[in-house]
């Protein structure tokens, strides 16, 4: 091959080929929004198509194949340009809540867990690709973001099956903890701010009765841990 042909290949042909391949992958994978909705529908369809006990093996293999495909493609899915950190969190909570209508039967518990795991993967994908992910935030802004979104999850997901709520709280907590790492420490006194944050957490997630403790204990524990982590982070930065 001549030098001019090689130069043309490196400068023009290969980049064009890579662009074409990436576009093809994106078209196959679809967007995070469309594919997540389709995955839930496909899981439900597996039960509708193979509902009988003697069809269990076929149904389970269908579900395994669906999950394998989704897992393989999740990092190829296009994230809509309008997605922000908050919209990614809202979408995740909406997806988990959708199990009440799409995967609502008791016998669908394994499929609900499979779907919830897929939704958590989509949350991570959307968070990293969100339009404002790299926006500079203060640690206090991140703390408030966690406080409000965990409260939203508690209030929205109160009627979903029990096995989905704790993983949902953990996914939201983990997604926002990632934002803490690049957050700018607030200028207020760290110990004073921690006390303020703990009071806010107690107000949002009271544990003053057995019923409230059953509902809010894990949420308060998450916020308490974050408040202490931020205080330690601020102290190290002084």
């Amino acid at each position: 091959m001549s030098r001019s042909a090689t130069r043309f290949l490196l400068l023009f042909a290969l980049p064009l080929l890579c662009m074409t391949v990436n576009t093809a992958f994106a078209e196959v994978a679809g967007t995070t929004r469309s594919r997540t909705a389709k995955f839930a529908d496909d899981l439900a369809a597996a039960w509708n198509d193979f509902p009988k006990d003697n069809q269990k093996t076929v149904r389970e293999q269908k579900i395994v194949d669906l999950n394998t495909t989704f897992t393989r493609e999740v990092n190829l899915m296009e994230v809509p340009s309008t997605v922000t950190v908050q919209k990614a969190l809202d979408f995740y909570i909406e997806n988990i809540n959708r199990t009440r209508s799409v995967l609502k039967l008791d016998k669908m518990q394994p499929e609900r867990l499979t779907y919830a795991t897929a939704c958590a993967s989509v949350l991570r994908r959307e968070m990293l690709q969100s339009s404002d992910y790299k926006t500079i935030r203060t640690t206090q802004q991140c703390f408030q973001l966690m406080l409000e979104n965990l409260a939203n999850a508690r209030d929205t997901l109160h009627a979903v099956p029990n096995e989905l709520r704790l993983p949902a709280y953990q996914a939201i907590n983990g997604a926002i903890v990632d934002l803490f790492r690049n957050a700018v420490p607030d200028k207020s006194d760290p110990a004073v701010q921690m006390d303020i944050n703990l009071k806010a957490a107690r107000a949002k997630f009271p544990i003053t009765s057995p019923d409230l403790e059953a509902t809010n204990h894990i949420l308060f524990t998450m916020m308490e841990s974050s408040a202490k982590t931020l205080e330690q982070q601020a102290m190290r930065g002084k």
Side-chain angles (χ1 to χ4, degrees):
M1 182 181 294
S2 67
R3 288 185 177 181
S4 59
T6 301
R7 181 178 177 81
F8 174 81
L9 181 64
L10 292 175
L11 292 179
F12 300 102
L14 284 179
L16 181 61
L17 177 61
C18 290
M19 185 182 301
T20 301
V21 170
N22 287 339
T23 300
F25 276 135
E27 289 175 352
V28 170
T31 69
T32 48
R33 302 301 168 109
S34 64
R35 285 289 281 110
T36 304
K38 186 176 185 303
F39 186 53
D41 292 339
D42 287 346
L43 290 174
W47 270 98
N48 291 332
D49 294 342
F50 309 105
K52 299 179 180 179
D53 288 344
N54 62 4
Q55 296 174 312
K56 179 180 179 181
T57 300
V58 177
R59 180 178 66 244
E60 289 182 344
Q61 186 58 53
K62 176 67 174 177
I63 290 167
V64 167
D65 292 343
L66 289 168
N67 189 48
T68 299
T69 299
F70 189 95
T71 302
R72 184 178 63 244
E73 295 181 353
V74 67
N75 288 324
L76 300 173
M77 295 173 193
E78 178 185 356
V79 176
S81 60
T82 55
V83 170
T84 61
V85 163
Q86 185 58 62
K87 287 182 178 179
L89 291 162
D90 290 342
F91 182 57
Y92 173 72
I93 294 171
E94 291 167 8
N95 284 334
I96 299 301
N97 196 40
R98 192 170 178 236
T99 60
R100 294 172 57 196
S101 58
V102 181
L103 300 167
K104 61 185 179 180
L105 301 180
D106 289 343
K107 61 186 178 182
M108 293 178 174
Q109 180 185 25
E111 288 68 48
R112 285 194 293 269
L113 294 174
T114 296
Y115 174 68
T117 300
C119 290
S121 296
V122 170
L123 172 61
R124 289 191 294 272
R125 170 77 172 161
E126 289 202 339
M127 287 284 285
L128 290 172
Q129 298 293 322
S130 61
S131 60
D132 61 342
Y133 182 77
K134 294 182 179 179
T135 298
I136 301 300
R137 297 176 177 81
T138 66
T139 51
Q140 197 55 37
Q141 287 174 320
C142 293
F143 183 87
Q144 192 65 30
L145 186 70
M146 181 180 289
L147 189 74
E148 296 301 329
N149 279 280
L150 285 177
N152 182 28
R154 175 198 60 189
D155 297 342
T156 303
L157 304 179
H158 64 92
V160 303
N162 292 332
E163 73 267 10
L164 297 185
R165 282 199 295 273
L166 178 57
Y169 298 155
Q170 291 171 332
I172 293 167
N173 181 71
I176 299 175
V177 163
D178 284 344
L179 295 177
F180 285 166
R181 298 187 176 97
N182 297 317
V184 177
D186 286 270
K187 295 182 179 180
S188 56
D189 180 88
V192 172
Q193 189 60 57
M194 184 181 71
D195 287 341
I196 293 172
N197 286 342
L198 289 175
K199 288 178 182 177
R202 290 190 189 97
K204 187 72 74 172
F205 305 115
I207 51 176
T208 52
S209 72
D211 286 345
L212 288 173
E213 184 168 10
T215 300
N216 291 325
H217 175 74
I218 185 62
L219 296 164
F220 174 76
T221 299
M222 288 178 177
M223 295 309 308
E224 181 183 41
S225 176
S226 292
K228 292 178 179 179
T229 297
L230 292 182
E231 193 255 356
Q232 294 168 0
Q233 186 174 321
M235 291 297 292
R236 287 195 299 269
K238 294 187 86 175

